[in-house]
């Protein structure tokens, strides 16, 4: 197999894409269209109920609200 010579890739790294996503969490539509990966976590029933009720109040899906919460946390954590 021969190596190809050419221009270096301009594709963004996964880290760069993740950091951009953290910076752009205001657009809920982008969160619902993003490529997803399943993440299972055990949380108290009361917390699950509270998050689910908040999602309903905001008129968004539970997974979108949860992703938004994670993005907000990571945004604050990256500033420390």
């Amino acid at each position: 197999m021969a190596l190809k010579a050419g221009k270096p890739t301009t594709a963004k790294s996964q880290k760069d894409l993740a950091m951009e996503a953290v910076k752009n969490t205001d657009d809920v539509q982008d969160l619902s269209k993003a490529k997803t990966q399943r993440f299972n976590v055990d949380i108290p029933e009361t917390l699950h109920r509270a998050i689910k009720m908040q999602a309903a109040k905001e008129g968004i899906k539970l997974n979108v609200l949860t992703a938004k919460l994670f993005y907000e946390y990571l945004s604050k954590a990256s500033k420390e």
Side-chain angles (χ1 to χ4, degrees), residues 1-79:
M1 177 188 310
L3 295 175
K4 294 181 181 180
K7 295 180 182 177
T9 182
T10 57
K12 294 183 180 182
S13 71
Q14 290 292 344
K15 179 182 174 185
D16 292 335
L17 293 172
M19 292 306 293
E20 283 181 12
V22 170
K23 292 176 185 174
N24 300 324
T25 58
D26 294 334
D27 193 357
V28 175
Q29 297 300 332
D30 287 345
L31 291 176
S32 63
K33 293 178 183 177
K35 182 178 175 184
T36 62
Q37 186 167 346
R38 185 153 309 271
F39 176 75
N40 295 318
V41 61
D42 294 323
I43 59 172
E45 287 181 16
T46 54
L47 178 58
H48 180 267
R49 191 177 306 115
I51 294 170
K52 194 170 183 177
M53 288 180 358
Q54 185 61 37
K57 287 178 188 175
E58 293 184 27
I60 59 177
K61 293 180 178 183
L62 180 61
N63 61 333
V64 172
L65 177 61
T66 305
K68 193 173 171 182
L69 293 171
F70 280 123
Y71 283 130
E72 288 176 15
Y73 171 79
L74 290 173
S75 177
K76 290 176 185 175
S78 68
K79 293 177 184 175

